[in-house]
Amino acid sequence: TLSLHDALPIYIQWQEPTAEKASVTISDITGREIFKTSIDMNEGNGMNQVDLSGLTNGLYMISVKSASINYNKKIQVMH
């Protein structure tokens, strides 16, 4: 299970039966990749912060992918 707290900074929260590595990608509305990182998702409950303070105001798409997760959500950045 994955959830996203979409206030800045972004927090990605999960509950996973096994440990996994996930890639986090932020794209602008044209699909251009703006930011990419990987996170280690530990077994059980966990949370990771993604700092997007360097992004300009606007709409973006966040994608979190691992062996068992394919999560996509539109986010709005406003400073």
Side-chain angles (χ1 to χ4, degrees), residues 1-4 12-16 39 41 64-65 69-72:
T1 310
L2 186 82
S3 63
L4 186 75
I12 299 170
Q13 187 173 8
W14 64 86
Q15 181 179 3
E16 288 298 307
I39 58 173
M41 298 172 66
V64 181
K65 295 185 180 179
I69 294 172
N70 186 5
Y71 180 89
N72 298 290

Side-chain angles (χ1 to χ4, degrees), residues 19-37:
E20 295 184 327
K21 187 174 228 43
S23 67
V24 178
T25 306
I26 308 292
S27 303
D28 65 15
I29 57 172
T30 67
R32 185 172 55 103
E33 188 176 289
I34 303 295
F35 175 85
K36 186 168 188 169
T37 190

Side-chain angles (χ1 to χ4, degrees), residues 34-71:
I34 303 295
F35 175 85
K36 186 168 188 169
T37 190
S38 62
I39 58 173
D40 292 317
M41 298 172 66
N42 302 323
E43 181 180 345
N45 297 326
M47 184 181 293
N48 196 298
Q49 177 182 330
V50 179
D51 182 12
L52 302 179
S53 61
L55 296 180
T56 59
N57 290 349
L59 290 175
Y60 296 89
M61 190 68 148
I62 185 167
S63 172
V64 181
K65 295 185 180 179
S66 72
S68 65
I69 294 172
N70 186 5
Y71 180 89

